[in-house]
Amino acid sequence: MVRTLDSTERIGVVGAGTMGSGIAQVAAQAGYDVVMRDVETEFVESGFETIEDSLDRFVSKEKLSEADADAALDRIEGTTDLADLADCDVVVEAAVEDMEIKQDIFADLDEAVPEDVVLATNTSTLSITTIASVTDREAQIVGLHFMNPVPVMKGVEVVVGEKTDEAVAEFAHALAEDLGKETWESDDKPGFVTNRILMPWINEGIRAYDEGVASKADIDKGMKLGTNVPMGPLELADHIGLDICLDASETLHEELGDRYKPAYLLKRKVDAGDLGKKTGTGFYEY
Ligand code: CAA
C-alpha cells in the first residue's frame, strides 16, 4: 500500500532554491511539517531567507497574519542530510534540471525513504520515466511541476510517467489541491503542456527582438496588451532565469527537433552570464 493524503503530515523537499523553498513554504502554510534539504548549509539558509521575504510580502499585503507566517516558518526544518527525509510521508524533489543529478537523488531517496512513500519531481522538462528508472518504486514516481513564484502561482502540472500508478497520480492532484493549487495532467512527453508551449513562445520573442522586429519594450507590451498575459516573453524569460530557459529549450530541441531550436541570442546571453533578474542583467537591468 502506498501512503495517501490521509496519512500525509510531513513533506520532504529536496532543494532549497527558488522552487524548493517555494514548495516548502506553501506546504508549511497549508499546515504540513516540512523538511527542506539542500547540499550546503548556505543554500538551506538562503532558502529560509526567500521564504521569510515571501511571507513578509503576504503579511504586508494583509493576506496573512504575522502569527500564521511565524507558525508556517516554525513548521519548516532545514537539513543537509538526505537521511532526515526518512520520516516524511511524501518527498518532492526540486533540485537542478540535470538528469544525472536527479537520478542520483532518486536512487539515494529510494534507499533513504520507506518503500510506501511517493517520490515526486518538480522537473519542468525532463522525463519522469527516465528519472523513475533508477528506483525500485517506478509506480510511485510522479511529476509535480509547480510554477514560479510558487507561493503566488495557482497552477500545478501533474505529470504521469510510463509506470506511474493511477492512484499515485490521484494522490499528486489531491496533494497539490490541498496546498491551495489547481492542477492539470500531462503525459510524460518533453516539456509537458506548459514548457512545450511556453519555450517556443519565449524563443520567438527573443528572435523577434534579435531580428529587429520591435524594441524589447514593444515586444513585451505587444504580447501583454495584445494577448492579456501578465508578462511579455522577454520579461518572463528574465523572471524564470535565462539559464533555465536555455536548459529547457535544449531538452526540447534534442527531443523534438529543429522547431525547438533555442534562439541564438539566448545562448549568447547565458554565455555572458546575463541570466535575468537573479544576476541583475538579462534582457533588462534590475
Ligand atoms: N511571495 C509572495 N507574494 C508574492 C510573491 C512572492 N514571491 N511575488 C509576488 N507576490 C504577490 C505580491 O504580494 C502581489 O500581491 P497583490 O496582487 O495583492 O498586490 C502580487 O503577487 C503581484 O506582485 P507584484 O505587484 O510585486 O508583481 P507583479 O504584479 O509583477 O506580479 C507575478 C508578479 C505574480 C510574478 C506576475 O507578474 C505573473 O504572474 N507573471 C507571470 C509568471 C509566470 O508566468 N510564471 C510561470 C513561469 S513558467 C514556470 O514557472 C514553469 C517552468 O518550468 C519554467
Side-chain angles (χ1 to χ4, degrees):
M1 279 293 282
V2 178
R3 284 185 214 185
T4 60
L5 197 61
D6 292 339
S7 50
T8 299
E9 290 175 3
R10 199 171 173 81
I11 300 183
V13 180
V14 178
T18 307
M19 299 307 284
S21 65
I23 295 165
Q25 179 186 335
V26 295
Q29 283 187 254
Y32 290 94
D33 290 326
V34 178
V35 187
M36 178 173 74
R37 183 263 184 183
D38 211 317
V39 284
E40 302 282 349
T41 308
E42 61 179 297
F43 300 150
V44 177
E45 282 168 0
S46 154
F48 273 108
E49 280 166 27
T50 307
I51 293 170
E52 280 177 53
D53 285 351
S54 175
L55 289 170
D56 284 348
R57 288 180 76 157
F58 285 132
V59 171
S60 65
K61 300 261 172 183
E62 295 180 353
K63 287 183 172 172
L64 188 71
S65 72
E66 226 162 311
D68 285 346
D70 290 345
L73 205 53
D74 277 349
R75 278 193 282 272
I76 308 172
E77 193 184 296
T79 184
T80 53
D81 189 354
L82 205 72
D84 288 341
L85 302 181
D87 57 354
C88 289
D89 302 302
V90 58
V91 177
V92 185
E93 172 276 327
V96 288
E97 283 291 281
D98 178 302
M99 181 56 83
E100 252 177 70
I101 292 174
K102 289 206 192 285
Q103 285 190 325
D104 284 349
I105 292 171
F106 272 77
D108 291 345
L109 283 173
D110 203 29
E111 295 287 319
V113 178
E115 60 184 20
D116 60 343
V117 167
V118 168
L119 305 178
T121 171
N122 179 60
T123 184
S124 59
T125 33
L126 299 175
S127 162
I128 309 300
T129 310
T130 313
I131 294 172
S133 67
V134 297
T135 72
D136 287 328
R137 62 178 97 189
E138 288 162 279
Q140 283 160 241
I141 313 294
V142 66
L144 207 50
H145 180 208
F146 289 82
M147 305 292 136
N148 174 12
V150 179
V152 177
M153 299 294 287
K154 273 278 161 220
V156 172
E157 184 162 56
V158 172
V159 187
V160 178
E162 202 62 36
K163 301 257 173 86
T164 309
D165 199 271
E166 217 178 295
V168 170
E170 274 167 29
F171 168 59
H173 283 284
L175 178 64
E177 280 162 17
D178 209 45
L179 303 185
K181 306 298 185 190
E182 285 183 44
T183 59
W184 60 94
E185 193 167 304
S186 171
D187 198 8
D188 186 21
K189 300 272 164 35
F192 319 131
V193 172
T194 47
N195 279 332
R196 185 182 178 113
I197 296 166
L198 182 61
M199 289 304 150
W201 185 74
I202 284 177
N203 276 289
E204 206 44 53
I206 297 170
R207 281 189 202 99
Y209 165 58
D210 204 21
E211 290 170 21
V213 173
S215 68
K216 293 176 280 196
D218 276 353
I219 288 169
D220 282 338
K221 188 175 181 183
M223 293 316 291
K224 264 195 297 202
L225 299 186
T227 68
N228 218 10
V229 289
M231 287 179 169
L234 303 177
E235 257 186 296
L236 184 57
D238 280 356
H239 167 76
I240 293 170
L242 303 193
D243 50 342
I244 307 238
C245 291
L246 181 59
D247 273 353
S249 303
E250 282 177 341
T251 302
L252 288 164
H253 184 211
E254 218 170 274
E255 300 282 345
L256 299 171
D258 266 358
R259 69 194 165 114
Y260 282 93
K261 196 171 172 188
Y264 169 70
L265 182 58
L266 177 61
K267 280 193 183 157
R268 204 171 62 196
K269 288 240 173 230
V270 172
D271 287 345
D274 293 340
L275 306 183
K277 263 187 195 160
K278 62 180 152 190
T279 58
T281 309
F283 289 105
Y284 300 95
E285 300 292 325
Y286 298 91

